[in-house]
Amino acid sequence: MEIPTIVGAGLIVIGAGLGIGRIGGSAMDAIARQPEASGKIQTAMLIAAALIEGIGFAALFAA
Amino acid sequence: MEKLINDFSIGLFFWQLVLFIGLVLLLRKFAWKPILDAVEKRESGIEDALKSAEKAKLEMQNLQADNQKLLQEARMERESLLKDARDIKNKMIEDAKGEAQDQANKIIEQAQAAIESEKKAAIAELKTQVANLSIEIAEKVMREELSSSDKQLKLVESMLGETKFN
Amino acid sequence: MRRKISLKPITLLLFLSTSFFFGQEEAEHVEVKTDKKTEIKEYIQHHLQDSYDFSLFSYETESGETKHIGFPLPVILWDNGLKVFSSSKLHHGESVAEVDGSFYKSYHSKIYKTDASGTINYDEEHHATNEKPLDFSITKNVFTIFAIGLLMFFMFSRMAGKYRKGNTVPNGAGRFLEPIILYIRDDIAIPNIGKKHYKRYMSFLLTVFFFIWIINLLGLTPLGVNVTNNIAVTLALALLTYLITTFTANKSYWGHIFWMPGVPWPMKIILAPIELLGTLIKPFSLLIRLYANITAGHIVLMSIIGLMFIFKNWLGSSLSFGLAFALSLLELLVAALQAYIFTMLSALYFGSAVEEHNHADH
């Protein structure tokens, strides 16, 4: 039985979603711990999230 | 992926590239440069104003401190002057007092010395006078006594009697 | 705790109601639904594509004729010589345009060269195999890009004019735009590029930010223009980022790509191609991200709007209306966020290109 590519894409999207969720959560933790560094944390968070997002999209389009 | 490549339109890509580069160059010349320059100028102006205000404040503080110092100095000087004056006054009084005392003591001493010497002189005169007087009296007495030979003999006799031979 | 409890019945209601709607639909209008579904699907597909004329909407007259409201745009083709004609000749792909003895027909928003009767040959996957002339037409998207460019030019040069007059306090549009410009300078350019070099890149960063933002916002208006969901547009933008990074990079940037310092030499040889590929992947992820976010947003939004016509009852339609409204708000955020991320990552790449590594620190 052949697994359709869209299933793989879905799996990758789930992974990417979990990853971005973790990044967001950790960023929240970090901001709560150090509110004065929130700007830097936000930037780092966005960059990391953007990179994962890129992988997610690449998977979606490959499917 | 295949769909993406299929959808790719060279015309749109070309136009986007050309228009966007044109837009960047145009806006750089006509918008971003003047805006950023103006903002920067304003920011540096604000910074300068703040700095000069800070400087003025510092200067003001310095000035005030100087004033305070000057005032303090003046006050101290006044105090020291007053103190000096008081000291001088006291010293003068003290000196005057001492001198007067000395003078008085000297005068008293001189007076005492004079009195002493006067006293001595007086005593010496008195002594001479008493001596003279007693010599005169003795002369007179002698003359009376030794007016006769009897009396002379008698005297000799008594004197001789008084003198004991040892 | 209380909030959680109060949310439960609503979720339950939502769940129940959706199943209820679908149940009803299936029972009564199976035919109509599939029809509508394909129609909406086609409409979305059409919306996502570029077109040769600026059409706002189309409707069907009572006689069954489709009427388009809008205006035609010039078509420019390079096919053994420059060919310019109005897109009204194409009649939205319904007829063949004859120009200087050649015949052209638009099919799925692409112009193909055909014969006089307009035959389109297909391969086994139903792709047209006709010859495609080089197409530099002023399409709807090109027109929009041009209009946005003009708008931005007038908006910002007017603003700049006020500054040039020695206006120290922003007024008018400047009051709104200046904080954004300052934000890009102070929070995107300076921290990522560094105080020494950031000025060189400011023009590009500001232009790219406002361009993407405005064009994304315009995509949310009922004008139906949709520029940033074209891979060609995002490719052009990302290509510029890549070119600027490449051409302004200093020695240490290339040094870190081809001969990574501080690692043993066999590793250096392995790392060089990876790093080189990385420089290409970075702008590629930029272009895919922008394209995918905007496309996905449009598809979801339009599908939900389409649901309104599928449900055809007040509860379902109002629910999907509410959902569409909420999603539109989200898309407003996404429009700005994608512009921000594009600008931010571009600045980051520029920063890595001009970064001066102090190896004493390593």
Side-chain angles (χ1 to χ4, degrees):
Chain A
M1 197 178 90
E2 201 179 315
I3 300 166
T5 45
I6 197 76
V7 174
L11 284 174
I12 290 175
V13 167
I14 289 172
L18 285 174
I20 292 177
R22 265 193 64 87
I23 291 168
S26 312
M28 289 283 165
D29 277 356
I31 290 172
R33 216 164 282 160
Q34 269 179 301
E36 67 277 359
S38 62
K40 275 185 184 171
I41 293 167
Q42 245 166 26
T43 313
M45 177 190 85
L46 277 178
I47 291 165
L51 292 176
I52 292 183
E53 202 189 43
I55 293 173
F57 281 129
L60 262 186
F61 286 113
Chain B
M1 217 23 131
E2 193 189 336
K3 192 174 155 287
L4 277 186
I5 293 163
N6 211 31
D7 275 352
F8 185 81
S9 151
I10 294 170
L12 187 58
F13 174 73
F14 166 77
W15 281 112
Q16 164 70 14
L17 210 58
V18 169
L19 288 176
F20 191 78
I21 290 173
L23 188 64
V24 170
L25 294 178
L26 269 178
L27 282 178
R28 198 231 294 267
K29 185 157 184 349
F30 291 107
W32 305 133
K33 229 180 161 63
I35 289 174
L36 287 173
D37 282 354
V39 166
E40 213 153 279
K41 218 169 103 190
R42 186 175 64 203
E43 273 170 359
S44 65
I46 290 171
E47 207 162 301
D48 282 355
L50 278 175
K51 258 186 200 158
S52 67
E54 193 69 22
K55 226 169 103 187
K57 206 172 135 196
L58 217 81
E59 236 160 69
M60 189 83 174
Q61 261 174 357
N62 276 348
L63 223 72
Q64 247 171 359
D66 275 2
N67 269 351
Q68 207 70 26
K69 225 170 90 187
L70 268 174
L71 219 75
Q72 195 76 17
E73 264 171 24
R75 205 172 285 146
M76 287 220 324
E77 206 156 329
R78 193 192 68 172
E79 215 118 285
S80 75
L81 271 174
L82 273 173
K83 200 172 156 246
D84 278 2
R86 213 175 287 137
D87 281 0
I88 289 170
K89 186 191 83 176
N90 282 349
K91 210 178 147 211
M92 265 164 82
I93 290 172
E94 207 73 16
D95 282 2
K97 263 187 187 163
E99 219 163 301
Q101 194 72 41
D102 281 1
Q103 210 75 19
N105 283 351
K106 232 188 230 162
I107 288 169
I108 288 169
E109 240 167 62
Q110 275 172 356
Q112 268 174 346
I115 287 167
E116 198 70 27
S117 64
E118 283 297 304
K119 205 171 109 188
K120 271 182 185 157
I123 288 171
E125 220 181 74
L126 203 65
K127 270 182 181 164
T128 46
Q129 259 176 1
V130 166
N132 284 349
L133 268 174
S134 45
I135 288 166
E136 267 171 42
I137 290 166
E139 231 179 63
K140 274 171 190 169
V141 168
M142 284 303 219
R143 251 175 225 147
E144 233 21 56
E145 290 285 312
L146 296 171
S147 47
S148 58
S149 43
D150 299 353
K151 278 182 182 179
Q152 284 178 352
L153 277 168
K154 221 175 146 187
L155 188 66
V156 174
E157 281 283 319
S158 69
M159 279 202 180
L160 282 172
E162 262 167 48
T163 315
K164 286 170 196 161
F165 299 102
N166 344 7
Chain C
M1 208 53 218
R2 178 176 287 173
R3 210 159 149 207
K4 235 178 194 169
I5 292 164
S6 68
L7 264 177
K8 256 184 191 160
I10 297 173
T11 353
L12 198 68
L13 193 75
L14 263 172
F15 181 70
L16 280 176
S17 54
T18 36
S19 58
F20 173 65
F21 300 140
F22 280 117
Q24 193 187 35
E25 287 294 330
E26 268 163 56
E28 282 176 33
H29 316 281
V30 186
E31 286 298 300
V32 182
K33 204 185 87 183
T34 44
D35 227 12
K36 268 257 179 311
K37 252 186 172 170
T38 45
E39 193 190 326
I40 287 165
K41 230 178 188 168
E42 266 170 20
Y43 186 82
I44 293 171
Q45 276 301 319
H46 180 74
H47 168 83
L48 292 174
Q49 271 166 347
D50 206 353
S51 67
Y52 286 97
D53 58 320
F54 204 106
S55 59
L56 293 172
F57 59 90
S58 60
Y59 61 95
E60 225 163 85
T61 52
E62 277 169 40
S63 56
E65 202 181 346
T66 326
K67 287 230 168 191
H68 298 270
I69 303 295
F71 50 89
L73 293 164
V75 176
I76 304 166
L77 299 177
W78 183 267
D79 183 26
N80 297 322
L82 200 64
K83 295 196 171 122
V84 183
F85 57 97
S86 162
S87 71
S88 58
K89 274 190 175 180
L90 295 168
H91 293 288
H92 305 279
E94 284 152 22
S95 64
V96 185
E98 194 204 331
V99 188
D100 303 334
S102 305
F103 300 93
Y104 303 103
K105 191 173 198 288
S106 86
Y107 169 73
H108 278 271
S109 295
K110 280 212 182 311
I111 289 182
Y112 294 96
K113 202 170 172 182
T114 61
D115 52 12
S117 55
T119 358
I120 298 222
N121 308 311
Y122 304 104
D123 59 11
E124 63 269 22
E125 281 174 354
H126 205 72
H127 291 306
T129 51
N130 288 40
E131 193 191 336
K132 277 191 272 185
L134 267 180
D135 183 358
F136 293 105
S137 307
I138 307 292
T139 57
K140 191 179 184 180
N141 284 344
V142 177
F143 179 79
T144 313
I145 292 164
F146 197 70
I148 294 278
L150 274 183
L151 175 81
M152 276 175 72
F153 179 70
F154 281 116
M155 193 160 76
F156 288 110
S157 57
R158 239 175 74 90
M159 184 181 160
K162 281 180 186 160
Y163 280 90
R164 220 180 262 156
K165 269 184 226 149
N167 220 347
T168 46
V169 180
N171 58 2
R175 215 175 288 181
F176 170 66
L177 294 171
E178 200 201 288
I180 301 173
I181 293 173
L182 287 184
Y183 179 79
I184 291 170
R185 192 194 64 177
D186 296 338
D187 286 294
I188 295 180
I190 293 179
N192 287 318
I193 302 175
K195 254 202 149 58
K196 201 169 149 197
H197 298 287
Y198 83 95
K199 272 186 185 152
R200 278 199 285 170
Y201 301 106
M202 275 311 279
S203 302
F204 178 75
L205 292 177
L206 283 167
T207 316
V208 98
F209 177 81
F210 282 108
F211 181 79
I212 295 177
W213 191 29
I214 294 172
I215 227 154
N216 282 351
L217 285 181
L218 207 69
L220 293 175
T221 60
L223 278 178
V225 290
N226 210 350
V227 181
T228 30
N229 76 356
N230 274 287
I231 199 96
V233 173
T234 55
L235 174 65
L237 291 172
L239 185 72
L240 282 175
T241 299
Y242 175 70
L243 289 178
I244 292 173
T245 315
T246 310
F247 284 110
T248 58
N250 58 12
K251 246 191 208 156
S252 120
Y253 174 74
W254 294 116
H256 274 72
I257 287 172
F258 289 120
W259 207 243
M260 178 70 80
V263 290
W265 70 267
M267 274 303 278
K268 283 180 181 177
I269 292 168
I270 300 167
L271 272 177
I274 294 174
E275 286 282 324
L276 200 63
L277 201 65
T279 59
L280 284 169
I281 287 172
K282 281 168 176 178
F284 183 74
S285 74
L286 269 186
L287 83 95
I288 290 292
R289 177 174 309 110
L290 181 58
Y291 162 80
N293 265 295
I294 301 303
T295 309
H298 275 263
I299 291 174
V300 171
L301 198 53
M302 289 192 75
S303 306
I304 285 167
I305 291 171
L307 278 182
M308 259 188 261
F309 301 98
I310 291 177
F311 282 145
K312 264 193 175 160
N313 61 32
W314 68 269
L315 192 52
S317 293
S318 52
L319 264 174
S320 52
F321 174 78
L323 204 57
F325 183 71
L327 264 170
S328 300
L329 291 181
L330 188 74
E331 282 301 302
L332 273 180
L333 176 75
V334 168
L337 193 73
Q338 288 309 316
Y340 168 73
I341 288 188
F342 196 101
T343 317
M344 166 94 198
L345 289 173
S346 293
L348 198 77
Y349 301 154
F350 297 159
S352 74
V354 295
E355 196 180 0
E356 272 148 29
H357 293 274
N358 198 353
H359 287 291
D361 294 350
H362 281 206

